Every structure is written in structure tokens, then in C-alpha cells.
Amino acid sequence: MEKRVRQLNENDDDPLGLHLAALGVLDAQGTVVGWSRRAQDLIGYRGPDVIGRSAFEVLVDPGDLPAVRDAAERCRRAVGWFGLLAVRHRSGHPVELGLRVSALERDGVREWLLAGAPAADVLEWQRDRAVLDGLYHRCPIGLVVHSPDMRILRVNRAIERFTGVPAAYLQGKSTGVLLVPDDARKAVDRVRQVMRTRRPLVYSEQYARLERAPARERVASVSSFPLEDPVGRILGVAEMIEDVTERHRAQHRLTLLAEASTRVGTTLDVAQTARELADVMVPHLADHASVDLLQQVTRGEEPAPALAGPVARVGACGIGAQEPDPGTPRPIEYAPDTPQARCLADGRPVLEPVLPSDWLSVQQGRSGYASKPGSHSLIVVPLAARGLVLGVMSLWRSRRPDPFAADDLTLALELASRAALAIDNARRFTQQQRTAFTLQSSLLPSTVPEQSAVEVAPRYLPASASPGLGGDWFDVIALSGARVALVVGDVVGRGLHAAATMGRLRTAVHTLAGLDLEPDEVLSRLDDLVNLLAAEQEAADERPVTQQVVSATCLYAIYDPISRRCSAARAGHLPPVVTSPDGQAALLDLPAGPPLGLGGLPFEAGEFELAEGSLITLYTNGLLGERTMDTDEGLARLCAALTHPANPLQDTCKAVMDALVPARPADDIALLIARTRVLPERHVTSWQLPMEATAAAQARALVTGKLTEWALEHLTFTTELIASELVTNAYRYASGPMTLRLIRERSLVCEVSDGSHTAPHLRRARTTDEGGRGLFLVAQMAERWGTRYSREGKTVWTEQPLHGAQGDHQARRRP
């Protein structure tokens, strides 16, 4: 019997297999007629001890006889039996066995073959068989076994459900037989890699699009491992395949949402945000994307509800398509029956999973479609925020074969909703910025006043990299005596507060300039004003809101075209650059002075002489504000750009900007370049007059002679009167030397200087007064009049327009 057992299925690992089990043979009456060595080892009885005896008497405990007899009866009826029974060991203790009983027919005589093994081994083997059976018949995860020659040996039922093809059809077919060529090639490469390296690949994802449905996107997670026999020979590769299409789509949607949150809305620029939205959509969700905004939105205005156009294409992206230049938004008028027009009008999304074959030809000539050839699926979603539709986003698919589905529309709506909020924030910011820049522009000089002292070229450039307004300003102020004041300043901080402070300081400078104060005195008065503004801000408890500090820098210079002298003072500001007529540019050595707002510290002015044709350049620190450049390098570049004083001033401004200013400056920039002029000596005359009663008559005679020489006889009467009254006042109320000066430039200037600092006062004399009308008459005759002070005394001046055709013509003709 042992020989016969060894011949039966030696490779079977079944514990009840003939080469592993304890075997016994019973005749029809239950007598033991055969006994194996394994049975002796397991139960303790040797063959001679049990052969010829009843198995019920030797091997069964009396208490277990009913159950054993019941099993024997069922075995006779079914001609076989399998189950667990307790068998009595030779020592008397029970042994739980798993038994398989089979009928044997020999020479017409029936016997029973009993194969037994420990119950634990049998149960473990059964579980293993159940697991194997479950993998092939009940497991929801696909199982494919590939042979070494790249053919399919076996698949389970999950693969049948995944492919829709019976398992019998797949057996013997080539690996990847049902997949589209690109996906099949990747599947074959993966199996070959595992077979070659004998290393498993765990959870590798790949597209698994079937040839019979190539437009349906399917993704599988594949774990591959080699199959080997006990001696290490490769038997094939097994793959566990799970359909993770929905999980892949969900992950893709989350990834796209996360990417959109970081890539869309990076700036407060409406057009840039729209372009960012279009760029995110391609190729992750669509092959072509366009973002069309209502034209009111692009200008920062609030659109009216249910407004259907016109729109401008501000963002577009596509695979292999020539998209429009983002710098030039394309105006679009939608036809009423287009999906975009419907979406824009009612604010509802439109999903067209499959477009008709003639759709493209029908839409030819309509705005927004011609650049999307081959499109077969379309999504249009509104860009709506805070109850307003700002525009629409259109998505097309042309290269990807799968059409848009409902979950794609949900994703597009979510992305559009987030982007619309960013676009609306940008629109509101644009609106505020335009309002603020309008305010700022109104505070800055719109034109440079006409004057003869200098030729001026101003340039103001707002920051593009920082939010809010700046406090930079410049000014050119015509002063008495043909002089001019040049001013630049910079208020610390940004925003409306800085712009408003700048406007107040500029107004104050104009007022102080009208008083003809020296530059250091002007800065001292401005310093008092800034301290007053700071005190007001602290009293109103404004500072904690934005942590603003009222402070400013300023440079104030006065140039006299008659003496060619320039006096300047600075309050914490960068020094001006002076370029001589021969092209030598250098910083002017001026005392620095503290910034405005520190209070109590003195300012010091410097005075220097400028040759005719010199350049004096004033600027704010934004001109040198590039972070990659230190101040010394910036000043060196500035001086190098100012070495051509004869060039047109606008060209010089451009050269300075090109040399120092980046494409997106981080700070506001104010630049003021002035070329000095000199008033010809023949246009200026002055006389020293004695402090005598005859001084007024002498003044009238001198004026008459000079006006006749200048061909300004039509101004003789009024000028005689003005000069006579001013000289008379100086004689009566002043002291020291008295000087009369006439200046002919754009107007006729009459000045009387004396050594007194007492200011004349204009008053209206009563009818009974014998005097007091002289200054009133001067004010009526002159276009402008005023008083300026110097260390030596004061000067009372008047200006009269050069009316009269002959005099005006000759005055213009003369250099």
C-alpha cells in the first residue's frame, strides 16, 4: 500500500492527500484491513494492533459512537464523506482529525479508504483553498496571470467585469490584447520588467482604455509580482488590477483645485487673473480655454445685472493653438443663440457633451469659435461673484477623446467661482486705484507754469509693484523778479493718507513760495506743518489703523536768471545733480538737513552759481529704489545719464529712466530736470535812488526813458505811477539805500528795494483821509504785486502784462 501511495500525486500539498495523510482501509463491516505508517505515528496503533479488528471498537470512544455511526450511515448513502471526528489515541486521549472517506471497488468488493490529518492542518488548507477560490471567483480586485511568453494564462471574474469579455476568451491571448496601443505597450513593458528583474511593482497607476471604448478614460492601479517554482524557475507574472478611475478623477480634481488656489489671483490685476485661470484649465481639464469679461469689468467698473455684452477676451490658452496677444484684449459680440450669450444673460452653466458634426461650420464667423478646430465637447460657466456676472469661461475638448461629463462641469463651476471672486477683488482694486490715481493726479501739477528762468521737463511714474498711492510730488513755481522755485518731495508711507498729506504739503509750499521766503525758511515752516499734522493724527487716534507716521523729505531750490545764483536746502532728501554745459555731472554739496517731522532741528541753505545751459536735476528716492542696486551705484548711473546737457530734456528724462528704472518700479518716482537760462542784461536795469523827496520825480523820469527804449510807451503812465508810489513809500517809511529795478521778460516787473523789514499794508482810505491810497492804486494798476524779504531788507514788486501789439511784438522779437 505504501508503494501505491507514493505513486499518487507526490506534489499535492493537500494534508489529506495520499502522500501526507494517515491512511486506513475498512471492509464493508467496518473491520480494519489496511493501516499506514503515518496512521501509526498519528494515532499510536501499529498495523498488527488494529488490522482485523472493528474500527468502532478500537478507534472510537464509546461516547462518540452515535456521531460516528451517523457519519458512517451518511457515507454509505453518499458513497463518501468528509468532516471532523474525534479518534481515540492508543494512550486513550482523543485526537481531532479531519477525515475524507472514499469508496474503493476491487473484484466486486467495496472497501472504504480513510485519509486523515490533524484537524488544524485540514482547516488551514481549506482556508487557503477558499482564499484561492475567492481570488478567482469573488474578489472585486482583478487578477491576471501572464506566462513567460507574454500570454494570458488565467483571469478572475473581476477582470471579466472590468473588460466585459469572458475569461475563456482571454486565456491564451497576448498581454494587453484589449487595450488601446499606447496603454497596451505600457502594460507589456511593466510585465516584462517584473519578469526580467523578478522584483514586484506595487500600486503603479496607468491608463487602461479599452479599444472598444477609447473615449472612456479609465485608470487602473496595478501591483505586479513574479511567480516562481520551488527551484526558482520563473513561471510567469501575476497582477492585481484595481479600477481606480473615480479615485483618480477625485484626486485630479483636488490637485487642480489646489493648483488653482496658488496660481489664480496672484495679483490684483483683472487681465492677469483671467489669464491665470485659462492657463490652469489647459491641459488638466480642457484642450482650449478662454475667459471673456464684460468690458466694464476690465475697466474696474461694476457691471449692470443681466448684462449680455459686450465682452473682451482677456485670457486664452490652448494646446497647439495660436492664442491672442494678452496685451490686446479682443472685443467680442456674442450671437444671441450661442452658449456664451445664454450663460452670460441668465448666469447658468451650459454643458454640451457632444457637439454636432456640423457645429464648427455653423459657428464659423462667430466670435470666439474659429480658433477651436475639431472641438467635440463644450462647457461654458459664468464668472459670478457677489451676485454679479462678470463674464464667462469657455472650455473645449478637441484632442482628448472623452467628452465633458457632469463632474467636469462641477469642477469647472468650482474653479470659476473661486476665480470670479479673485477677479472681482481685482476689479474693485482697479476701481479704487483709478479713483486714487485720479485724486493723486489732481494733486500733482498738470502743467508747468510759463516762466523765463529755466526750461523744465518733469516726469512722474507711479509704482506698479506696490499697492496704494505714494506721496511723491514735484513743483515748478514762478516767483517774483523772474525767479523760479523747483521742488521735489516724498511723504513717508503709501495710500490715501500719504497722497492727502502730499497735497497739503504742496499747497503749503505754494503759499510759502508766495511769501518769497528763503529755502531754509520754507523748510522750517513745512517742518512745523508736518508736526501739526502728526499731532492731529494722534489726537484723532488714526495711527493704529495703518501704523502711519507723518514724515516727509523735501528739496527746495530757487534760481535767479539775472544773477545766475541758485539757493537750495534739503530736508532729508537726496542732493540734486548739477550738470555743467560741458557735460560734467556731479552731486551738489548741500547740507543734508533732517526729514520733515522731527521738529526743532535747523535747516541750512547753500548758494551756488550756475552757468547758462546747466542742468539741475531733482528726484525722489524711488529713482534709486531697485533692490539689486545700492545708492552709490544708482547715483553713479544717474550722473552718467546726465552728461549730455544739450540734448532735448525729454530725451534726457528717458535716458535717466532707462538707466535706472525697472519695468515694474517698486516705488513712485518724481523726476524734474531744468536747464538754466540767463536773462540778457539789456532786459534788466536798476538805479540807486537817494533817500530824498525828489526820488519819486527822478524815478518817473528814469522809468519813462527806459520804457521808451524798450518800446513799451503804452505802459509809461501806469509804470510811472507804480514806481512813484513805491519810491514815495520807501522814502517815508523805510531806511537805508533805495533801489529801483525794471525787468522786461514775459511781463514788466517793477521793484523797489530798501533796507527796512517793515511790510507795507494795503488799506482802503476814507473819503476824509488825505493819504493812504498809493498802495491801493498800485494794486489796481498791476496784475500782481507782493513783498519779499532778504537779510538786507525787503523788496516790493509789481508785474504788468506786456499788452499792446507793437510793444508785445518787439518784446517777443528781442532775445
Side-chain angles (χ1 to χ4, degrees), residues 252-275:
H252 175 73
R253 288 192 290 269
L254 291 175
T255 301
L256 186 54
L257 287 171
E259 185 177 357
S261 65
T262 59
R263 290 180 55 188
V264 179
T266 59
T267 66
L268 286 172
D269 182 84
V270 172
Q272 178 64 25
T273 304
R275 290 193 291 270

Side-chain angles (χ1 to χ4, degrees), residues 45-59:
Y45 290 101
R46 295 178 300 123
D49 298 335
V50 294
I51 292 177
R53 301 176 62 185
S54 172
F56 297 100
E57 297 176 359
V58 179
L59 302 177

Side-chain angles (χ1 to χ4, degrees), residues 486-509:
L486 305 175
V487 191
V488 291
D490 184 4
V491 176
V492 174
R494 301 193 65 80
L496 289 175
H497 176 83
T501 303
M502 176 268 286
R504 299 171 79 173
L505 292 181
R506 179 171 176 257
T507 302
V509 169

Side-chain angles (χ1 to χ4, degrees), residues 465-466 472 490 574 619-635 637 659-662 664-669:
S466 300
D472 295 23
D490 184 4
L574 292 168
Y619 52 93
T620 56
N621 60 356
L623 189 67
L624 311 176
E626 190 178 355
R627 291 186 175 89
T628 59
M629 177 176 60
D630 59 27
T631 303
D632 292 339
E633 180 186 354
L635 292 173
R637 290 189 188 180
L660 292 165
V661 180
R664 297 178 60 84
D667 196 5
D668 291 8
I669 297 170

Side-chain angles (χ1 to χ4, degrees), residues 54-337:
S54 172
F56 297 100
E57 297 176 359
V58 179
L59 302 177
V60 180
D61 187 90
D64 296 329
L65 276 175
V68 173
R69 293 188 182 280
D70 179 67
E73 182 59 31
R74 283 186 280 127
C75 178
R76 290 189 185 96
R77 291 197 303 267
V79 195
W81 182 83
F82 171 79
L84 300 179
L85 282 178
V87 177
R88 186 172 57 189
H89 193 270
R90 182 176 182 179
S91 62
H93 66 272
V95 177
E96 283 287 335
L97 294 180
L99 289 177
R100 179 185 293 142
V101 183
S102 305
L104 298 176
E105 296 287 344
R106 184 175 58 182
D107 299 333
V109 178
R110 173 174 290 181
E111 293 179 342
W112 302 94
L113 174 63
L114 282 69
D121 294 345
V122 174
L123 291 176
E124 182 180 359
W125 181 81
Q126 283 185 313
R127 284 193 294 268
D128 290 345
R129 289 301 298 263
V131 168
L132 188 61
D133 179 72
L135 284 176
Y136 279 104
H137 297 92
R138 283 172 287 277
C139 180
I141 299 176
L143 176 63
V144 181
V145 179
H146 305 274
S147 67
D149 61 350
M150 305 302 295
R151 294 193 174 275
I152 299 174
L153 295 178
R154 190 173 181 183
V155 299
N156 66 351
R157 290 183 179 175
I159 294 295
E160 288 185 344
R161 292 190 294 271
F162 186 79
T163 62
V165 176
Y169 172 81
L170 293 174
Q171 290 181 0
K173 296 294 189 297
S174 300
T175 299
V177 62
L178 299 180
L179 302 178
V180 298
D182 187 46
D183 296 348
R185 182 176 61 257
K186 294 177 181 178
V188 171
D189 292 343
R190 183 182 59 253
V191 173
R192 284 177 175 167
Q193 178 183 348
V194 173
M195 201 172 299
R196 182 181 67 257
T197 63
R198 299 196 180 189
R199 294 179 181 176
L201 291 177
V202 181
Y203 298 132
S204 62
E205 287 191 0
Q206 86 152 78
Y207 286 102
R209 293 165 295 183
L210 301 178
E211 275 195 323
R212 60 185 180 87
R216 182 184 177 189
E217 183 183 81
R218 307 184 72 172
V219 182
S221 175
V222 184
S223 294
S224 310
F225 55 92
L227 301 176
E228 300 178 350
D229 63 9
V231 298
R233 290 178 301 180
I234 191 74
L235 301 177
V237 172
E239 291 188 314
M240 306 295 293
I241 301 175
E242 181 181 4
D243 187 355
V244 294
T245 302
E246 293 304 319
R247 185 178 71 189
H248 177 80
R249 289 178 178 172
Q251 184 178 2
H252 175 73
R253 288 192 290 269
L254 291 175
T255 301
L256 186 54
L257 287 171
E259 185 177 357
S261 65
T262 59
R263 290 180 55 188
V264 179
T266 59
T267 66
L268 286 172
D269 182 84
V270 172
Q272 178 64 25
T273 304
R275 290 193 291 270
E276 290 170 348
L277 176 60
D279 291 342
V280 165
M281 293 297 172
V282 180
H284 303 292
L285 187 60
D287 297 325
H288 302 275
S290 65
V291 178
D292 304 330
L293 299 179
L294 292 168
Q295 291 187 349
Q296 291 88 339
V297 176
T298 62
R299 297 192 295 265
E301 303 168 5
E302 185 167 321
L307 188 64
V311 300
R313 176 147 301 169
V314 292
C317 186
I319 299 176
Q322 184 66 34
E323 300 299 342
D325 181 7
T328 55
R330 194 154 51 93
I332 296 174
E333 285 284 352
Y334 289 132
D337 59 338

Side-chain angles (χ1 to χ4, degrees), residues 726 760-762 775 778-779 782-787 796-799:
L726 295 182
H761 295 284
L762 177 67
L775 201 56
V778 169
E783 184 178 48
R784 295 174 61 226
W785 76 279
T787 305
V796 182
W797 56 269
T798 65
E799 291 183 1

Side-chain angles (χ1 to χ4, degrees), residues 451-570:
Q451 40 76 39
S452 303
V454 291
E455 177 190 357
V456 181
R459 184 71 63 90
Y460 181 83
L461 184 65
S464 59
S466 300
L469 298 174
D472 295 23
W473 90 92
F474 67 90
D475 233 323
V476 179
I477 306 172
L479 302 178
S480 63
R483 299 169 306 142
V484 66
L486 305 175
V487 191
V488 291
D490 184 4
V491 176
V492 174
R494 301 193 65 80
L496 289 175
H497 176 83
T501 303
M502 176 268 286
R504 299 171 79 173
L505 292 181
R506 179 171 176 257
T507 302
V509 169
H510 269 267
T511 302
L512 296 173
L515 298 177
D516 271 325
L517 300 177
E518 294 295 323
D520 53 344
E521 183 67 18
V522 170
L523 295 183
S524 296
R525 302 285 183 90
L526 282 180
D527 186 54
D528 295 338
L529 175 60
V530 170
N531 288 326
L532 177 62
L533 295 178
E536 290 178 354
Q537 187 184 59
E538 291 180 2
D541 198 25
E542 295 177 358
R543 188 168 57 180
V545 176
T546 54
Q547 295 300 320
Q548 293 171 329
V549 178
V550 180
S551 179
T553 66
C554 185
L555 173 62
Y556 188 90
I558 298 176
Y559 173 69
D560 187 345
I562 299 175
S563 65
R564 296 188 288 111
R565 303 293 295 179
C566 182
S567 177
R570 61 190 180 112

